[in-house]
Amino acid sequence: MSIISLTEALNFLDIGTGYFTITAENDRLVMSYDGGAATNVEISDGTYEGDDLATALQTAIDAAFTISSTVTYSSTTYKFTIAVASSHTITIDVSASDAALTFGFTADPTAAQSITSDQAAADDPTAPVQVILDGTDSFVKGYCDRDFESTAYKEYYNGRDKQNLFLKQYPIISVSRLSIGRNSGLKVNNSASSTYATVSVSSTGVVLNKDGTTTTLLFADNATLTDMVTAINAESGWQASVVNSNYVSYKSSELIEIMGLECLDTSWAYLDIPDEPESDFEVYAEEGYLFKGGGFPSGHRNIRVDYVAGFSSDDMPSRLKMSCLILVKFLYQKRSEEIFGRKQYSIGSVRATLEEGMPSEVKLVLDNMARKDV
């Protein structure tokens, strides 16, 4: 999900999504089925998207020949493919067809069970808009140093002996867990004759590394800490155990991400899990912070917060959406007029001075919505 949708951007730019217009001047293909007589295939006049025009042509072919055909449109190549049943053939008389170019046929295709346009039937006007939209979405989030769509987060913070903990994303929709501190969940060792051995925890599993050869044991395949221990112990030279019997049924995905802990010979690597969840704290949703009367104790990545923050598509602030639409249009017009990097340009006696940087209306809103350092 983006701050604004492609449809909203197209509407703001006044670009329609119907790319093909069929009129009396381009509504007929002259086709032959199984080498039979040339037959007029009439497509209903109207404005179509590619898939809809394919359906309209399929309906017209089926009616003209009393058959069951298949017509598809590729949004990648912008070509149409017409297919009939196996062991049957179809072709087009291009010179007699006023719709041939509309469907991308410039020469009579060889009669076959399936024929495809020999050139693109149309350029998709949404393609450059989508590129600009994606870039705008990324720019706005980077400029504001926050995401805006409703998303679930699992984040670690450094405690600073303060009562307020400001989260990276807001407004806060829900907090499912706040944990302070961590405990050792697993210990891992490699006793083989090696130059080095390390263990890491990634977002998806435990990674064992012996002399540069890695083995990844996924959380998805080893759901609990006990399952992960069993998987590690099954690897040659590796051994592991759950540090505390109270943790044997804990989810393996609770293991905190870490890189390259040494664990060769007499060295054991200890993999941590978050401490038990807290119950004494308050959530200030709109401001985006948690309050704890006793404060959040100092420590490095000692605080774990699982939460959901952001806006739904229906609740996205209108001023933010309008700013994104203005920025998309600003870039789209520069692309259309090929004036990137120019401060002024002239057409005849008309001279235009261009705004540098982002439009002032956009900057005003984004500065207001940017995450503040606290």
Side-chain angles (χ1 to χ4, degrees):
M1 180 181 122
S2 299
I3 298 172
I4 57 174
S5 67
L6 177 60
T7 299
E8 289 172 323
L10 292 172
N11 289 339
F12 192 73
L13 295 171
D14 198 25
I15 297 175
T17 56
Y19 320 139
F20 298 94
T21 300
I22 304 298
T23 67
E25 297 179 353
N26 66 332
D27 61 359
R28 184 182 75 256
L29 289 177
V30 178
M31 309 184 74
S32 297
Y33 177 69
D34 279 347
T39 302
N40 289 339
V41 175
E42 303 281 350
I43 303 101
S44 298
D45 292 357
T47 301
Y48 299 89
E49 294 184 25
D51 289 339
D52 294 333
L53 183 56
T55 300
L57 176 56
Q58 178 177 307
T59 299
I61 291 173
D62 292 354
F65 297 109
T66 317
I67 61 172
S68 181
S69 65
T70 302
V71 181
T72 58
Y73 173 74
S74 170
S75 59
T76 303
T77 64
Y78 312 126
K79 293 182 178 182
F80 289 87
T81 296
I82 303 168
V84 292
S86 178
S87 75
H88 295 275
T89 64
I90 197 162
T91 189
I92 300 172
D93 183 345
V94 169
S95 63
S97 304
D98 59 19
L101 288 178
T102 301
F103 287 92
F105 291 94
T106 62
D108 295 359
T110 301
Q113 186 261 332
S114 176
I115 56 176
T116 299
S117 313
D118 52 87
Q119 70 173 22
D123 291 331
D124 184 354
T126 70
V129 178
Q130 184 67 67
V131 172
I132 294 172
L133 176 58
D134 291 343
T136 298
D137 192 72
S138 178
F139 169 79
V140 168
K141 292 172 183 176
Y143 186 90
C144 294
D145 195 22
R146 57 185 286 209
D147 293 331
F148 292 96
E149 304 96 323
S150 175
T151 307
Y153 300 94
K154 180 180 75 174
E155 296 174 342
Y156 289 89
Y157 293 85
N158 298 331
R160 298 178 178 176
D161 277 332
K162 293 184 178 181
Q163 292 180 317
N164 296 336
L165 178 69
F166 284 84
L167 303 184
K168 295 177 182 177
Q169 308 297 336
Y170 61 95
I172 301 169
I173 296 174
S174 64
V175 175
S176 58
R177 174 166 63 175
L178 166 65
S179 294
I180 300 176
R182 54 176 67 182
N183 300 307
S184 294
L186 293 186
K187 62 177 184 177
V188 181
N189 170 263
N190 184 282
S191 59
S193 177
S194 306
T195 303
Y196 70 90
T198 63
V199 60
S200 304
V201 178
S202 71
S203 61
T204 58
V206 173
V207 182
L208 308 176
N209 184 339
K210 184 175 71 173
D211 289 343
T213 300
T214 60
T215 301
T216 300
L217 305 173
L218 298 175
F219 297 142
D221 299 330
N222 306 281
T224 67
L225 293 185
T226 298
D227 294 334
M228 186 59 74
V229 164
T230 300
I232 294 173
N233 289 337
E235 298 295 325
S236 177
W238 291 92
Q239 54 186 319
S241 62
V242 180
V243 173
N244 188 317
S245 60
N246 292 329
Y247 305 152
V248 292
S249 61
Y250 277 33
K251 291 182 178 180
S252 59
S253 56
E254 288 290 285
L255 291 169
I256 297 172
E257 292 181 36
I258 194 78
M259 295 184 184
L261 297 181
E262 198 270 336
C263 58
L264 184 63
D265 296 332
T266 58
S267 298
W268 286 80
Y270 287 81
L271 307 182
D272 292 342
I273 58 175
D275 205 343
E276 295 294 324
E278 298 289 315
S279 58
D280 183 20
F281 65 95
E282 298 176 37
V283 178
Y284 287 79
E286 292 300 319
E287 296 85 349
Y289 71 90
L290 309 182
F291 172 83
K292 186 171 175 60
F296 292 91
S298 292
H300 178 66
R301 299 185 75 230
N302 62 323
I303 302 170
R304 154 91 174 256
V305 187
D306 295 3
Y307 68 108
V308 177
F311 301 97
S312 68
S313 57
D314 293 334
D315 295 331
M316 194 69 68
S318 57
R319 67 186 186 280
L320 177 62
K321 295 181 70 170
M322 179 55 67
S323 296
C324 290
L325 289 170
I326 292 172
L327 191 53
V328 167
K329 187 166 187 176
F330 175 75
L331 295 171
Y332 185 80
Q333 288 177 332
K334 281 201 167 190
R335 171 191 176 274
S336 300
E337 298 169 9
E338 298 182 347
I339 52 174
F340 286 107
R342 298 184 185 180
K343 296 181 180 180
Q344 292 183 336
Y345 73 102
S346 301
I347 301 177
S349 61
V350 178
R351 172 172 291 186
T353 299
L354 305 175
E355 186 169 14
E356 296 186 54
M358 75 175 88
S360 57
E361 306 94 327
V362 174
K363 188 176 187 303
L364 183 66
V365 172
L366 298 190
D367 285 344
N368 179 261
M369 300 202 71
R371 187 165 71 92
K372 306 299 188 293
D373 291 330
V374 292

